[in-house]
Amino acid sequence: MSRAATFIVMLVFWVVLSGMFDAFHFSLGVVSCLLVAYFSHELVFYAGGWSSWLRGLVGMLIYLPWLFWQIILANLHVAYVVLHPRMLDVLDPHLIRFKTILKRPISKVTFAQSITLTPGTITVCIDDDEFTVYALTQKVADDLPGDMEKRVAAALEGK
């Protein structure tokens, strides 16, 4: 069931974005979506059925506006660092490692992508429950994992 649902979601997304409706391109889209559905169906529809998926969808709809606000704040912080007259004194890059409380693969991926989307941070590696993240300044490093991890857990894991 989860493979079929993943296939349908991916195919609709592909058709909307591609704009190619001839037989050759559509068949390539179908094959691509079949492969994606086969290999990643558990990522989108984690064990727990439709109620778990629906709860995750509602959680993400609540999480995304907060994430967009954090991206704006991080942009302002990076702009401050770049435009600061003594930029080299303000820059303090760090490579930090921390354990996550997240258990589901989709939660870890969402958290990693949220970190990377936020200017001034890049997720370098995820190894089981350990994240390695590059942070541009000490202030940014101190905020990790922080509130973002808790919000992802609330949105996707019901914690």
Side-chain angles (χ1 to χ4, degrees):
M1 179 68 171
S2 65
R3 282 189 177 109
T6 302
F7 171 74
I8 291 168
V9 169
M10 295 296 146
L11 187 62
V12 167
F13 190 69
W14 185 88
V15 166
V16 168
L17 291 181
S18 74
M20 303 273 189
F21 302 110
D22 60 280
F24 175 73
H25 287 100
F26 189 73
S27 63
L28 287 178
V30 168
V31 169
S32 298
C33 293
L34 283 171
L35 289 171
V36 168
Y38 180 76
F39 289 112
S40 67
H41 67 97
E42 290 179 350
L43 184 63
V44 178
F45 296 99
Y46 190 71
W50 288 102
S51 63
S52 173
W53 185 82
L54 186 60
R55 186 181 63 232
L57 179 65
V58 171
M60 286 304 293
L61 290 175
I62 294 169
Y63 172 71
L64 286 176
W66 178 86
L67 176 62
F68 292 145
W69 179 246
Q70 295 306 306
I71 291 171
I72 291 169
L73 293 177
N75 272 300
L76 293 173
H77 178 70
V78 170
Y80 167 79
V81 169
V82 169
L83 298 173
H84 195 279
R86 295 175 52 198
M87 178 178 67
L88 295 178
D89 294 335
V90 178
L91 281 177
D92 189 15
H94 286 77
L95 198 60
I96 62 169
R97 289 182 179 86
F98 58 87
K99 294 272 187 192
T100 185
I101 61 170
L102 304 172
K103 299 299 177 207
R104 293 177 60 187
I106 189 70
S107 302
K108 291 177 186 178
V109 169
T110 301
F111 183 45
Q113 293 302 324
S114 297
I115 290 171
T116 301
L117 282 171
T118 308
T121 56
I122 298 173
T123 304
V124 177
C125 181
I126 305 172
D127 186 20
D128 290 327
D129 290 338
E130 185 174 277
F131 277 65
T132 305
V133 176
Y134 169 82
L136 187 63
T137 64
Q138 181 65 46
K139 176 192 177 304
V140 174
D142 291 342
D143 290 343
L144 289 169
D147 198 27
M148 186 179 286
E149 181 183 39
K150 292 174 189 162
R151 287 181 180 260
V152 170
L156 296 175
E157 296 189 354
K159 291 183 179 179

